[in-house]
Amino acid sequence: MAEPTPEAKLNSGELWNEFCDALKAAGQQVLAEGVPGDALTRAEGYRYLTRLLRLSLEKQIEFSDAQHPQFYSLSHETAKIGNDNPDNFYQNCAVDGRFDYRIRGNRGSVDYLSIETKAGSFAGQGDMAPTGHIELEELAVDADGNFELIVSAREHSGNWLPMTEASDNLLVRQTFKDRASERRAQLSIECLNPARDAVLQPAEFARQLQAVVPFVSGTAGLFHQWMQVFSEHINQLPPNDQGMCLRAGGDPSIYYHNSYWQLAPDEVLVVEFTPPAQCRTWNLQLSNYWMESLDYRYHRVCVNKHNAVAEADGSVRIVIAGNNPGQHYPNWLDTAGHCTGAMLLRYVEAEDKPPIHTRVVKLKELAGGL
């Protein structure tokens, strides 16, 4: 007997039951080998799954129509993926490389903006292969900051963002010097040659529902694997495998140092480096074990080129601790009640990548001076 189609399983209720069973099984990610067993990490793990579910429902269902696209966000203040940058505003959009698109925008006052086309997602722990990239400086913008950008697999004159026929999503990064004082770019998008109206198709919805939980479990599983890799250099910040970062949706203009931090209550992590002479910006951020940035609404969990206090020789010393070490250490990052998690230092458009030195010291040692 032939396997029922997804649409038939949706009509019978079987597909909904499969969805619920798969979501239940995704909870095993929180109990996977290597995950810290403390109560906070477990609680954040289950919250992470609820957040991923929320994001996946938007990605796979609400904003999945590539012929009638809209921008939405897969990382923001209350739902986060893969060491999301607290200095960033992220936008995503479903596209289809067989169609052509026009983005209309105003650049705002944001310091850095990149728009990329991608192929793939984290469902099944797959890759987000880069298929096109453009930055603000490459766009022709009028005196009021307005621009139009064509997105297509066919080459186009003027502002053009390439795709391939395999491209299926856009990723926009807007990076702030100071999030509170800058005005982000405003973007809208339209498909120039849609082939149908925006009407719910039962068979298509069935396929969309089937894709929701694989994104949840695939994303959680991928970054758990990353943390197991990073556990080989706890409290250090060596360069990442840059190809791995690009395959997971990283920006080719960014150089990544992902790692794992772990501190006892009386310990602090000191990070010291001399920033590149030529570098648009850099920042160091703290995340939890699930690679969600710590809550930057209420805690200082990120320091960047524009707000860091440098030493006399131009170097920067950052102190990571659960308590404020005092005025002599202005570049303090707050662990916000955590004892372990991920961290990331990124250089944007840097000509060189200086080494980063780290050491763990006792909190009482700070009082005596480093």
Side-chain angles (χ1 to χ4, degrees), residues 206-224:
R207 288 189 289 271
Q208 293 168 349
L209 187 64
Q210 286 180 314
V212 169
V213 178
F215 178 86
V216 174
S217 55
T219 302
L222 174 65
F223 292 116
H224 168 61

Side-chain angles (χ1 to χ4, degrees), residues 74 114 146 191 247-248 293 329:
L74 273 179
S114 69
N146 300 311
C191 180
R247 291 191 297 273
S293 64
Y329 304 99

Side-chain angles (χ1 to χ4, degrees), residues 106-339:
N106 182 279
R107 60 122 24 246
S109 64
V110 68
D111 180 59
Y112 175 79
L113 181 148
S114 69
I115 308 176
E116 298 175 85
T117 58
K118 305 282 189 181
S121 78
F122 303 135
Q125 299 182 16
D127 295 337
M128 289 179 63
T131 58
H133 177 92
I134 195 167
E135 297 179 17
L136 185 60
E137 284 74 10
E138 300 173 84
L139 293 171
V141 177
D142 72 17
D144 296 320
N146 300 311
F147 65 87
E148 291 189 1
L149 172 65
I150 297 298
V151 185
S152 64
R154 295 176 295 170
E155 186 171 355
H156 194 278
S157 60
N159 291 337
W160 173 56
L161 174 61
M163 289 197 294
T164 68
E165 287 200 358
S167 300
D168 60 9
N169 69 96
L170 292 176
L171 174 57
V172 182
R173 286 180 177 85
Q174 301 189 41
T175 304
F176 302 96
K177 296 178 180 178
D178 176 9
R179 181 187 283 267
S181 65
E182 292 177 75
R183 180 169 51 88
R184 70 191 187 202
Q186 299 297 313
L187 304 174
S188 64
I189 187 170
E190 62 176 322
C191 180
L192 298 177
N193 47 354
R196 56 169 175 74
D197 292 334
V199 177
L200 181 67
Q201 303 293 324
E204 180 63 19
F205 174 76
R207 288 189 289 271
Q208 293 168 349
L209 187 64
Q210 286 180 314
V212 169
V213 178
F215 178 86
V216 174
S217 55
T219 302
L222 174 65
F223 292 116
H224 168 61
Q225 286 184 4
W226 279 32
M227 287 298 285
Q228 296 310 292
V229 173
F230 302 157
S231 69
E232 297 174 3
H233 43 75
I234 292 176
N235 293 331
Q236 302 173 54
L237 276 162
N240 231 132
D241 176 343
Q242 303 303 308
M244 179 177 77
C245 294
L246 287 178
R247 291 191 297 273
D251 187 325
S253 296
I254 299 176
Y255 193 80
Y256 296 89
H257 292 251
N258 280 287
S259 197
Y260 191 130
W261 66 269
Q262 183 172 295
L263 296 170
D266 64 341
E267 291 179 330
V268 302
L269 176 60
V270 180
V271 179
E272 296 170 304
F273 67 105
T274 299
Q278 297 296 323
C279 180
R280 174 182 288 276
T281 193
W282 59 263
N283 72 357
L284 174 65
Q285 71 173 81
L286 298 182
S287 299
N288 63 16
Y289 177 83
W290 306 103
M291 294 183 65
E292 300 176 293
S293 64
L294 298 185
D295 200 335
Y296 50 83
R297 297 174 298 175
Y298 309 116
H299 303 274
R300 192 190 192 204
V301 301
C302 178
V303 63
N304 66 35
K305 173 182 177 179
H306 309 286
N307 58 32
V309 177
E311 301 294 311
D313 63 358
S315 65
V316 172
R317 176 185 296 135
I318 300 167
V319 172
I320 297 169
N323 295 290
N324 190 336
Q327 62 180 351
H328 297 298
Y329 304 99
N331 301 319
W332 168 54
L333 297 186
D334 185 0
T335 58
H338 295 71
C339 61

